[in-house]
Amino acid sequence: MLKVNFYENIETNNMETNNIEIKDNIIPDIKDLVSIYNDAGWSNYTNNIDMLKLAYNNSLKIVSLWDGSKLIGIIRVVGDGYSIIYIQDLIILTEYKKQGLGSKLIKYVMNTYKDVYQKVLLTENQESTTKFYESCDFVSSDKYGCVAFVKFNM
């Protein structure tokens, strides 16, 4: 486990931040995962707990944020770690959003995999979400003359 001051030069809206720590490659307890996924409204994960457990057990990297014993943020990466990484999940608890935590998690992962050729993610097409990822130096795949394809098992 790595402890880091996650609030360098970040506006914190007067929240107590001394207890925020980052944990690298520690899989949180399933009840904590279900809680943060429910907060995000991602029921496709919480409706299939076995899939959620398997997904975490088979991830390339998991980085989580904790306020004391409370899971407040998580990023999950899949891929080979050399030619490609795929940011599968990035979640910040609603009450902790707009404080730079999601950006810090992205930067942490980008620094860890700085030499990886392709860094990919798929997200919903909402203005606030696309602006967030653009602020983290991601661009839509069409800017590279690419198109993304997806097939969901729904």
Side-chain angles (χ1 to χ4, degrees):
M1 173 175 55
L2 176 65
K3 276 186 148 182
V4 190
N5 177 0
F6 236 66
Y7 281 95
E8 294 175 7
N9 304 318
I10 294 178
E11 177 61 41
T12 61
N13 300 325
N14 297 319
M15 288 188 66
E16 176 59 46
T17 61
N18 293 336
N19 292 330
I20 302 295
E21 66 180 317
I22 184 172
K23 295 182 182 180
D24 191 349
N25 280 335
I26 303 294
I27 299 175
D29 187 82
I30 192 64
K31 68 176 178 46
D32 294 320
L33 287 174
V34 168
S35 178
I36 201 166
Y37 277 80
N38 279 335
D39 183 73
W42 293 3
S43 60
N44 56 318
Y45 288 93
T46 58
N47 288 339
N48 191 342
I49 301 300
D50 290 336
M51 178 195 66
L52 183 61
K53 288 178 184 177
L54 287 168
Y56 270 81
N57 287 332
N58 289 285
S59 295
L60 179 64
K61 180 167 274 308
I62 300 158
V63 182
S64 54
L65 291 178
W66 298 81
D67 187 353
S69 63
K70 183 178 187 178
L71 177 63
I72 63 166
I74 198 153
I75 190 168
R76 185 167 72 88
V77 179
V78 297
D80 59 33
Y82 294 96
S83 68
I84 189 168
I85 62 165
Y86 185 96
I87 297 174
Q88 177 57 38
D89 301 322
L90 172 61
I91 307 172
I92 303 295
L93 274 181
T94 301
E95 65 190 273
Y96 288 84
K97 288 185 176 182
K98 303 291 184 190
Q99 297 179 50
L101 296 173
S103 297
K104 287 284 191 179
L105 284 173
I106 292 278
K107 287 177 186 172
Y108 185 93
V109 167
M110 293 299 102
N111 186 55
T112 301
Y113 296 105
K114 62 182 173 270
D115 295 325
V116 172
Y117 176 65
Q118 294 179 73
K119 299 159 187 90
V120 180
L121 62 87
L122 183 68
T123 190
E124 61 269 357
N125 190 12
Q126 295 180 353
E127 185 178 357
S128 62
T129 306
T130 56
K131 283 185 177 186
F132 168 74
Y133 286 111
E134 288 169 351
S135 77
C136 295
D137 297 327
F138 281 86
V139 297
S140 178
S141 64
D142 65 324
K143 301 282 195 268
Y144 288 105
C146 298
V147 61
F149 294 91
V150 62
K151 185 174 182 180
F152 290 107
N153 189 14
M154 302 175 101

